[in-house]
Amino acid sequence: MALPKVGSIGEYIRDQRQQAKISLRQLAAAAGVSNPYLSQIERGLRKPSAEILNQIAKGLRISSQALYVQAGLIEDREPPSDVITAIRADANLSERQRQVLIDIYESFLKERRAEDEQTSQNAHPRHDSDEDDAPLPEEFLAALEPYAATSRNGNVTQETKEG
Amino acid sequence: MALPKVGSIGEYIRDQRQQAKISLRQLAAAAGVSNPYLSQIERGLRKPSAEILNQIAKGLRISSQALYVQAGLIEDREPPSDVITAIRADANLSERQRQVLIDIYESFLKERRAEDEQTSQNAHPRHDSDEDDAPLPEEFLAALEPYAATSRNGNVTQETKEG
DNA sequence: TCGCGCTGCTTGCAATTGCAAACGCGGTGA
DNA sequence: TCACCGCGTTTGCAATTGCAAGCAGCGCGA
């Protein structure tokens, strides 16, 4: 595949750098990359990795996201939901907790939608395709077990294999 | 030290993929990367470039930003734990759903904090510590009833974490 | 028992990243 | 004139990415 936007990201970086009135070497030092490499990036000769991109963004004191958008690495589309974005960005949650919260949230949305349409029906019509709707995986319940005191088996499996 | 969480991004991807119930090869095809490479990424043996990361996010139908955050590539200077704010502002939720979500979120935070303090301690089951404040009111379980039905057939416990 | 298809994993290897060192250019002071 | 300093750029080269091909294991129908 060609590199259609590599040039634009380079131009963008150079633009930002010049607006900040700092030299290539200064930015390179601030970003922790070598000056030759930064030079090549700015001229579109190299496609920097995400890591380098992030460091450059830091060195420029600009939003990483702006840079990623410029690089075409983040679709500019609005996030589907602020709730999900907030959950995903919350470092206070464990991976599993995050997923559980999102699952619950999404199922709430579905429930809400179903309530709207389901004026006369009362039984669950078994959604035609489950390819897209995640019906709360077992992790959901597993993670909730500690809270759901009424649960049958106290199989908690609260392993925090993190770190 | 540039990327201390290369492993976690792999785990995150694998987690998302398994929750989507698709095979490694399927995701690889959907993302347009080779399956061996994806395998190595998931196991933390490779640090994928931003481009690859973006394609994987697309293949997983998840937010690219979420992946970048997971990869530690977007350390947005604003890590606002505005989960609650987002929930409150979400017009798609009912009032009760909103309250349940917030309750779950807060109890997750508590659990997380408890885990932190407990990590250095010996295996100390903290089940007995639910006396100070019941984390989840009955609304919680009530709201979840319809979903909990999916696990009544006693399958579950299918952890299938990497072996 | 085969064979087929699927799962994920290992193995070389071409292409690329990213860097250290060196280059040419322009401005400044002695 | 020279030496010096900074600028951006060019030049090899080690390390890494990312892939094509192949391997081992599992489930299923003949």
Side-chain angles (χ1 to χ4, degrees):
Chain A
M1 65 184 71
L3 312 173
K5 313 199 123 186
V6 179
S8 74
I9 169 92
E11 290 176 17
Y12 181 75
I13 291 175
R14 176 159 288 191
D15 221 49
Q16 293 294 313
R17 175 173 66 79
Q18 290 176 340
Q19 280 184 21
K21 294 203 166 36
I22 58 179
S23 75
L24 190 147
R25 276 179 147 93
Q26 281 177 313
L27 174 55
V33 305
S34 69
N35 30 94
Y37 191 46
L38 180 56
S39 166
Q40 290 165 318
I41 289 170
E42 283 190 350
R43 284 175 298 145
L45 304 180
R46 289 279 205 279
K47 175 183 67 74
S49 73
E51 201 171 348
I52 298 288
L53 230 42
N54 185 36
Q55 289 175 330
I56 292 175
K58 279 195 194 129
L60 278 172
R61 305 278 175 69
I62 65 175
S63 154
S64 308
Q65 296 192 15
L67 212 47
Y68 290 134
V69 169
Q70 272 295 318
L73 295 174
I74 290 182
E75 308 300 332
D76 211 357
R77 59 149 191 264
E78 292 296 309
S81 160
D82 286 329
V83 172
I84 289 180
T85 304
I87 290 172
R88 288 223 158 102
D90 193 325
N92 298 316
L93 295 173
S94 77
E95 192 46 45
R96 172 155 306 208
Q97 288 174 334
R98 225 170 285 159
Q99 194 50 52
V100 170
L101 269 180
I102 290 174
D103 282 342
I104 296 174
Y105 171 70
E106 286 180 341
S107 59
F108 275 0
L109 291 186
K110 276 194 197 82
E111 187 185 54
R112 207 81 217 291
R113 250 176 281 135
E115 277 174 8
D116 274 355
E117 303 169 357
Q118 170 218 34
T119 52
S120 54
Q121 296 212 354
N122 52 0
H124 276 275
R126 186 69 293 177
H127 312 342
D128 43 305
S129 80
D130 56 354
E131 150 187 67
D132 214 57
D133 66 356
L136 294 191
E138 54 270 14
E139 279 124 355
F140 176 95
L141 293 162
L144 295 177
E145 293 260 336
Y147 310 108
T150 65
S151 180
R152 313 183 296 104
N153 49 356
N155 182 4
V156 177
T157 64
Q158 190 80 357
E159 52 180 325
T160 54
K161 160 184 195 322
E162 205 157 353
Chain B
M1 29 300 250
L3 261 192
K5 10 176 75 173
V6 180
S8 75
I9 170 83
E11 289 178 19
Y12 180 75
I13 292 175
R14 174 158 290 191
D15 221 50
Q16 293 295 312
R17 175 174 67 77
Q18 289 177 341
Q19 282 183 19
K21 295 206 168 35
I22 60 178
S23 75
L24 189 148
R25 275 179 147 91
Q26 281 177 312
L27 174 55
V33 305
S34 69
N35 31 92
Y37 192 46
L38 180 57
S39 168
Q40 289 166 317
I41 290 172
E42 284 191 348
R43 283 175 300 146
L45 303 181
R46 287 280 205 280
K47 174 185 69 77
S49 73
E51 202 170 345
I52 299 288
L53 230 42
N54 186 37
Q55 288 174 330
I56 291 175
K58 281 196 189 125
L60 277 173
R61 303 279 174 69
I62 66 176
S63 155
S64 307
Q65 297 188 14
L67 253 187
Y68 291 133
V69 169
Q70 271 295 317
L73 294 174
I74 295 183
E75 308 170 27
D76 258 332
R77 59 266 193 260
E78 52 153 338
S81 175
D82 58 357
V83 171
I84 290 181
T85 305
I87 290 172
R88 289 228 164 92
D90 194 323
N92 298 318
L93 296 172
S94 75
E95 190 51 47
R96 188 162 131 269
Q97 288 176 333
R98 229 171 279 161
Q99 195 49 54
V100 170
L101 266 180
I102 290 175
D103 283 342
I104 296 174
Y105 171 70
E106 287 180 339
S107 60
F108 274 0
L109 289 187
K110 263 183 207 117
E111 179 186 299
R112 204 81 221 290
R113 253 175 280 137
E115 275 175 14
D116 275 355
E117 296 168 2
Q118 165 223 348
T119 38
S120 49
Q121 298 282 347
N122 241 353
H124 166 40
R126 60 189 214 354
H127 278 306
D128 52 13
S129 71
D130 56 347
E131 82 288 11
D132 46 1
D133 45 1
L136 297 178
E138 61 273 12
E139 287 170 350
F140 175 94
L141 293 168
L144 295 177
E145 287 273 332
Y147 311 108
T150 60
S151 78
R152 287 264 278 282
N153 11 3
N155 48 11
V156 196
T157 57
Q158 188 87 337
E159 277 310 309
T160 61
K161 270 284 199 193
E162 67 276 37

